[in-house]
Amino acid sequence: MISSKTSFIALIGNPVSHSLSPIMQNAALQYLGLDLIYIAIPCKDEDLELVLNSLKKINCKGLNITIPHKEKVFNLCSEISPIAGKLKAINTLKLNSKKEWSATNTDVEGFIYPLKTLNLTKKDSIILGSGGAARSVIQGLINLNFSTISVISRNKSSLDELIKNFGCQIEIQGLLNNDNRAQNLIEDADLIVNTTPVGMKTTKNEEITLPFGENFWRSLNSKSIIYDLIYNPAPTSLLKFSAEKGCMTIDGLQMLVAQGLKSLSFWTDGLEVPFHIMNDALKNYLKNK
Ligand code: NAP
């Protein structure tokens, strides 16, 4: 029950109305029996500093940060974890003992979660897209001891930036999506991760396509695992297409839940919630939508 003593955790972004975090975090907070609720607060760029400074003064116990503020919050935080510093992106904040924001990023742990039980050491991977999520995916693949990473993207400048940032840690190459070498890479890849938003459910009645078009996928075979970061719709067109080819498929819901569990643990100094509590809440919500 919400009372006059109830505190809150908030998601700060713009837009936030589509976010599933309130559904899964409130299920977890209820499971823990904490007098805490989770809400979503839309916040424009120009208001970010004022909003974050104001939230320090009231009964706010922590924050999630989403698009477009993941990089902009850096100079509003007094402590930054090594992983957030390395990724140049923050997704979780809590107040430290001096009532200043302490920041981390839980996306890498979220991404790794569904892959942990598979033996992927020395395997070859492909990442589609070179935006913010690709950075967490690269770091995750490095942590899992993959042998090579090929990032395929339509954006040369962000590709070059990624290769520059991660090139000293793993054998990584960047290719534009119309590069002929992409077909050989797809044929041989052990894991292909889609980090582009292509295939996401939109309000428009668009025809849903595969990232870079169907022809791009012509050499896919059943040996590759296909991991789509998108969780709505489930399955995406890419995952349906890949399953028909006999591939193992992973959708983005597990990553969403796993990063949420890690954020909750950060806010509550180590409390743990079973994965199924958040996962079931999301599945029920999406089924009835
Ligand atoms: P982002 O920073 O905007 O990066 C998106 C990347 O995809 C960029 O390289 C972009 O290229 C490329 N792209 C966009 N539209 C494309 C198109 N039509 N064809 C080919 N490439 C295209 O976004 P992000 O933060 O990385 O997020 C990407 C996706 O991952 C979103 O769908 C997001 O919901 C999902 N995600 C899921 C989770 C989870 O927990 N499951 C977590 C994080 C992200 P340009 O630079 O040329 O636009």
Side-chain angles (χ1 to χ4, degrees), residues 67 70 107 110 128-135 152-156 158 177 194-198 200 211-212 227-231 251-257 259:
I67 291 169
K70 283 184 168 189
D107 281 339
L128 307 179
S130 51
R135 307 185 75 83
I152 302 179
S153 166
R154 65 181 187 180
N155 185 328
K156 176 129 176 42
S158 61
N177 58 292
N194 176 37
T195 77
T196 78
V198 179
M200 230 163 107
F212 306 128
Y227 188 161
D228 197 338
L229 260 48
I230 295 169
Y231 46 79
D251 69 27
L253 205 68
Q254 292 188 63
M255 173 174 175
L256 181 72
V257 170
Q259 63 79 29

Side-chain angles (χ1 to χ4, degrees), residues 203-219:
T203 40
K204 295 175 225 152
N205 226 355
E206 288 168 358
E207 195 194 326
I208 304 225
T209 50
L210 305 182
F212 306 128
E214 197 154 330
N215 195 34
F216 178 83
W217 294 91
R218 62 188 182 275
S219 55

Side-chain angles (χ1 to χ4, degrees), residues 114-127:
L115 300 175
K116 265 184 180 165
T117 52
L118 310 170
N119 182 9
L120 295 166
T121 305
K122 302 283 165 230
K123 301 283 186 188
D124 298 315
S125 62
I126 296 177
I127 299 173

Side-chain angles (χ1 to χ4, degrees), residues 111-165:
F111 167 71
I112 284 177
Y113 180 85
L115 300 175
K116 265 184 180 165
T117 52
L118 310 170
N119 182 9
L120 295 166
T121 305
K122 302 283 165 230
K123 301 283 186 188
D124 298 315
S125 62
I126 296 177
I127 299 173
L128 307 179
S130 51
R135 307 185 75 83
S136 301
V137 172
I138 293 172
Q139 188 58 54
L141 298 178
I142 292 171
N143 295 0
L144 290 169
N145 292 316
F146 268 77
S147 175
T148 64
I149 302 175
S150 302
V151 186
I152 302 179
S153 166
R154 65 181 187 180
N155 185 328
K156 176 129 176 42
S157 66
S158 61
L159 255 183
D160 291 346
E161 187 69 23
L162 284 183
I163 306 309
K164 198 171 93 191
N165 283 183

Side-chain angles (χ1 to χ4, degrees), residues 57-73:
K57 311 279 180 202
I58 57 173
N59 54 339
C60 174
K61 300 293 181 208
L63 298 173
N64 272 142
I65 305 293
T66 190
I67 291 169
H69 305 315
K70 283 184 168 189
E71 290 96 39
K72 292 176 198 123
V73 289

